Amino acid sequence: MTSRPEYLPERLALISDVQAAEYISAGLLEGREDVPSIALNKIAEALPGDDARLRLHRVRDLIDDAMTKFWDERPTAADAWLAPRLHETLRLTRREAAEKRLWTYLALGVAPDYVIWRHLPEPKADGSPGRVARDKFIGPHYKQTFARLWWAAELFRDGSDYRPVVVACGNQDMLNSALRLDVIDHRPTALALVKLMERGTVRTGREVNALTSAVNAAAATLMYDAVAPDAERDGEALRDWIAGAESSLPSPRNNLPEGPEEERAPMESVESLAGHFEELFADAPVRGRTPDGSE
């Protein structure tokens, strides 16, 4: 299995997909080879300054704890635990999180062993080794190992409350399908989807996929932000939270961390959309569902 990098600098860095391609070998994707970390860091662009958010070892320690905690479980179980804590540890703005080179470096330069552990499939029926998809290292935000967790935490959190993130990330189909949709950027929409999961209206992966498809299709004719307005986002609360990284303790391992003290989404907006989405889901085609509602 791919090992922890032998060399870890003090700060996070940036690396482009073109530069990264040289290090994403078949041996790495199959978990047989390590990333030559010294060579990688020679070409990586170190982030300047001494911003506490960008100190590498706090992130690496968090990832180590995630692997230790879930080593004997299915690796997918780590997503719901790691997503809010990664978000709280890095404390990025959305502009900073849109920097793809940061996530590529996090996957290759900081924790390639986590990427392999989390995403390596079982050997194939003919005995040939499984292989991690390249997009787990250099893919879009809804596929890349760490970007998808950060964006899930950003889009599903309710102000400082990460509990909806845990629910959303506890279902791989919600995590994989919802992050692709533009409508999920509307906070009451994201929280209404979580509400239907909490109520048990949708349980299986097929049901989640049917729900998100129906919600996305309906957005073509119904402006969710008009019928279910969100509270105005407070930029000062986010700035204060980011500044607090200088004196913050490591993200708690046993309790959920707290995000920026922004106003929560209006409950009436969330409930209104949850009711509407439940009606959409009732008529949505669920693969394998019989007329009596069973699968």
Side-chain angles (χ1 to χ4, degrees), residues 132-174:
V132 173
R134 287 172 60 87
D135 58 24
K136 300 306 178 186
F137 284 97
I138 58 173
H141 75 279
Y142 53 84
K143 287 189 175 181
Q144 204 270 356
T145 297
F146 298 109
R148 69 197 283 268
L149 296 180
W150 190 94
W151 281 104
E154 173 67 10
L155 296 171
F156 283 104
R157 68 181 174 86
D158 189 8
S160 64
D161 186 3
Y162 285 115
R163 286 176 296 178
V165 178
V166 175
V167 177
C169 292
N171 185 299
Q172 288 298 302
D173 291 277
M174 179 62 76

Side-chain angles (χ1 to χ4, degrees), residues 11 21-22 57 110 195 202 219:
R11 298 183 60 72
E22 178 182 349
H57 288 276
V110 179
K195 186 72 68 177
V202 292

Side-chain angles (χ1 to χ4, degrees), residues 130-262:
R131 180 177 291 190
V132 173
R134 287 172 60 87
D135 58 24
K136 300 306 178 186
F137 284 97
I138 58 173
H141 75 279
Y142 53 84
K143 287 189 175 181
Q144 204 270 356
T145 297
F146 298 109
R148 69 197 283 268
L149 296 180
W150 190 94
W151 281 104
E154 173 67 10
L155 296 171
F156 283 104
R157 68 181 174 86
D158 189 8
S160 64
D161 186 3
Y162 285 115
R163 286 176 296 178
V165 178
V166 175
V167 177
C169 292
N171 185 299
Q172 288 298 302
D173 291 277
M174 179 62 76
L175 183 56
N176 293 334
S177 62
L179 290 185
R180 300 169 183 261
L181 308 179
D182 289 340
V183 295
I184 210 68
D185 193 42
H186 179 237
R187 192 166 50 155
T189 294
L191 296 174
L193 294 175
V194 170
K195 186 72 68 177
L196 294 190
M197 294 176 65
E198 291 175 325
R199 292 175 180 173
T201 304
V202 292
R203 295 184 177 89
T204 68
R206 291 178 180 181
E207 290 175 343
V208 166
N209 287 330
L211 172 64
T212 54
S213 295
V215 167
N216 192 52
T221 57
L222 180 64
M223 301 293 291
Y224 296 145
D225 56 348
V227 299
D230 194 1
E232 186 172 346
R233 306 299 286 271
D234 183 358
E236 185 175 353
L238 178 62
R239 288 190 293 272
D240 289 346
W241 183 67
I242 289 173
E246 292 292 335
S247 58
S248 67
L249 296 173
S251 194
R253 298 329 195 226
N254 297 321
N255 303 310
L256 278 177
E258 293 185 0
E261 289 293 333
E262 297 171 326

